[in-house]
Amino acid sequence: MRLLRLLLLLVAAVGLACGTDDPFLSGAPANHSYNIDCGGATDFTSSFGRRWLADQFFSAGGAAGMVAEPHRFPQPQERTLRFFPPSSAGKSSCYTLPLPPGRYYLRLFSVYDNYDSKLRTPSFDVSAAATLVLSFRSPWPEPASRYGAYSDLIFPSATSPTSDICFYSLSTDAPVVASIEVAPVHPLAYDGATTGADLILVNYGRLTCGNNLFGPGFTNDSDAFSRVWQSDVDFRNNDLSYDAITAGGRKVFGSNQPPNYFPTKLYRSAVTTGGDASNEIEYIMPVDTRMSYMVWLHFAEIDAGIGAPGQRVFDVMLAGKNVTRIDIFKQVGGFTAFKWTYIVENLTSSTMSVKLVPVVGRPILCGLENYAIVPLEMRTIPNQVAAMKALKDSLKIPARMGWNGDPCAPRTWDAWEGVTCHRKDKGLVITQLDLGSQGLKGYITDEISHLTDLVSLNLSYNSLTGSLPQGLGQPSIVTLDLSSNQFTGSIPGTIGSSKLQTALLNSNQLDGQVPERLYSIGVHGGVIDLSGNKGLCGVPTLPACALFWEKGGLNKTGKIALGASLGFLLIVVLIVVYILCIRRGPYDYDFEFPQDLTCKYIAFQLHTGSYFIDDSSCLTLE
């Protein structure tokens, strides 16, 4: 019912999307966009027409909360939040979103506002596409802590039908998130031909020059990409002077074009230098020196006084390096959008200078974007991810163990609790499962056979039931400890590879003959323990297996013999039926010897014995 309700709500959201270019107004059935109110109990429609969904359809646990002073937050989705205490939700908690392969724009709103009355902001990480993309460290800057902060990025979805947005606890802190927004973007957006498949672009600053903040969901201004453009004031070098100019109501061409759909409003305003014509424009952008950055600069010649090439020329300097010379009119003419991009590498400072230096006239700038280039991390190979999720269900892994997202990635995080991974050329693989004494009460699914790199499996001292699957016979396994559970049935003949050195199956309810292949482990110097299974038989130290019967019924050998006997009897019956009913044709005659011939025939056969035949009566006389 919940799924049906979700689909109906999303279909309703599609109707709201008609006549708008805001991708977040359309629902999942149309183009897989989502507006998730984290911690929200009910769905609602915002004042901007967006349909917000309660996160109960997506959340992996945690608890709902609310900011301490909700009256200071203008949007309803900013007032509620979800937090994930590691003691109950585990170290890793994820929202699972149905997203087909493609590129997506993701925006998160994170806020603390002392929701837990502890006066301490939490430290945690965020991943998308199994790659670390955001890090929150305590203490947060005061504005972010009290009023919250938006973060956004462009990422490729996983190859599976769903993608995970995961939050990882550092120390004992509870990760927190207030809203999640996801919408698809053009596959070639932001140089997607080279960045689409293997890179994530994390926003480190998206500025509109000469404008106030604008963007759908925050103002009534449109952006088909749903980006929010913040004012440039806080990023300027305030030792310099600036003047703002506008297009004066004239139309600006070349905006809102695929694949990036940069909004027209961005190019209707700009900043230029104030005072002396030799002054520069400079912005100071925060960066992480471990990463490279994709810088986008946006221009439009919106000064009607510039009517020919060469009248406004300036150099662009990034991190102190002169990278290009710009003449907007020469490139596209007047009142036309012009975009330029450059990748900055090998930074040595925590800030990057973006400077426009005049050559002829004063430089001009409409907007600036700075994206960290984050390579996709290696992920667990898909069939092993599927196997681990099947095991999570069959073993009934408790939420406190945090089995969410990718079992092994990001590598900077710990793998799932009790799981050890290693890297191979094809991806990350599971090599060890150590889940002893975890209170598990499920069974082992045969999907475990897909963990083809598994070296050690420890499920001891739980309350697992059911039979042992054939899939436990991986050739890679060296140590197998299933002791002190409630497994029943026989031991599969597949268990006992050449690498298996330790097999502990004691204290279960197993029965039947022990495979010679398994018992040979102990003969060749390995360790095997089968004690505490009253029904096992057939090897030294255990009772001999009965020929046909055990525990009041047929054993395996008996069942085979009975099956063979029934098969033989069936063959005999079929032969008789064939001879008597099928082989005789419709024109066959009944043939019988005359009585005298019959009697003589019998006499001939028996005349040498102690009996003889009376020819006249054909009676047997002594």
Side-chain angles (χ1 to χ4, degrees), residues 127-439:
S127 76
T131 301
L132 177 63
V133 291
L134 300 171
S135 293
F136 292 82
R137 296 294 181 266
S138 184
W140 298 10
E142 176 61 22
S145 173
R146 190 172 185 188
Y147 298 101
Y150 283 91
S151 309
D152 65 71
L153 53 97
I154 302 165
F155 75 102
S157 71
T159 54
S160 63
T162 61
S163 289
D164 297 313
I165 310 300
C166 298
F167 302 83
Y168 186 81
S169 170
L170 299 177
S171 185
T172 59
D173 290 355
V176 61
V177 60
S179 69
I180 298 175
E181 302 166 80
V182 178
V185 298
H186 196 290
L188 298 180
Y190 289 97
D191 200 17
T194 56
T195 65
D198 300 316
L199 297 174
I200 295 175
L201 302 180
V202 181
N203 176 20
Y204 267 65
R206 182 185 301 112
L207 312 180
T208 173
C209 300
N211 258 322
N212 294 322
L213 177 145
F214 76 92
F218 296 85
T219 69
N220 287 317
D221 301 287
S222 64
D223 182 324
F225 211 122
S226 206
R227 291 157 293 212
V228 174
W229 300 82
Q230 63 188 120
S231 172
D232 65 333
V233 173
D234 293 334
F235 297 88
R236 294 176 183 174
N237 179 350
N238 290 322
D239 293 332
L240 302 173
S241 60
Y242 304 85
D243 284 337
I245 59 175
T246 69
R250 293 186 58 177
K251 184 176 181 179
V252 178
F253 298 91
S255 62
N256 200 33
Q257 299 295 311
N260 296 307
Y261 297 96
F262 293 120
T264 301
K265 183 169 182 176
L266 178 66
Y267 299 100
R268 289 176 175 164
S269 67
V271 296
T272 186
T273 59
D276 194 299
S278 64
N279 283 344
E280 303 167 344
I281 295 175
E282 185 177 24
Y283 290 91
I284 307 299
M285 308 300 296
V287 292
D288 184 332
T289 56
R290 296 170 297 179
M291 294 183 286
S292 299
Y293 289 82
M294 177 182 288
V295 178
W296 286 74
L297 299 182
H298 300 275
F299 307 100
E301 185 51 78
I302 55 176
D303 184 348
I306 303 296
Q311 294 180 342
R312 191 195 304 274
V313 182
F314 52 89
D315 290 334
V316 176
M317 299 187 67
L318 299 178
K321 180 181 178 181
N322 193 330
V323 293
T324 192
R325 177 163 290 182
I326 299 288
D327 184 337
I328 304 170
F329 200 96
K330 182 178 180 180
Q331 292 289 337
V332 295
F335 292 90
T336 303
F338 173 60
K339 289 79 66 179
W340 177 87
T341 185
Y342 187 83
I343 293 178
V344 182
E345 301 174 307
N346 302 319
L347 293 168
T348 58
S349 173
S350 60
T351 59
M352 176 178 64
S353 169
V354 179
K355 185 181 295 186
L356 306 184
V357 180
V359 176
V360 178
R362 298 179 181 184
I364 188 175
L365 181 65
C366 294
L368 164 63
E369 296 176 271
N370 186 33
Y371 294 95
I373 301 174
V374 181
L376 277 182
E377 295 191 30
M378 181 176 284
R379 290 176 264 192
T380 308
I381 61 175
N383 66 331
Q384 294 203 13
V385 173
M388 291 297 290
K389 290 183 177 180
L391 276 173
K392 175 185 176 180
D393 293 336
S394 73
L395 297 176
K396 298 182 179 178
I397 299 294
R400 59 175 171 77
M401 295 185 68
W403 278 33
N404 300 300
D406 189 291
C408 305
R411 296 297 301 277
T412 52
W413 298 1
D414 295 330
W416 287 3
E417 185 176 342
V419 178
T420 301
C421 306
H422 283 84
R423 179 172 182 160
K424 284 194 170 183
D425 292 339
K426 57 186 177 181
L428 302 176
V429 297
I430 313 297
T431 57
Q432 183 173 333
L433 293 179
D434 187 1
L435 302 174
S437 303
Q438 293 291 345

Side-chain angles (χ1 to χ4, degrees), residues 35-53:
N35 305 297
I36 303 172
D37 179 16
C38 302
T42 59
D43 308 322
F44 68 93
T45 300
S46 73
S47 59
F48 297 101
R50 291 188 174 197
R51 189 68 177 177
W52 285 87
L53 304 173

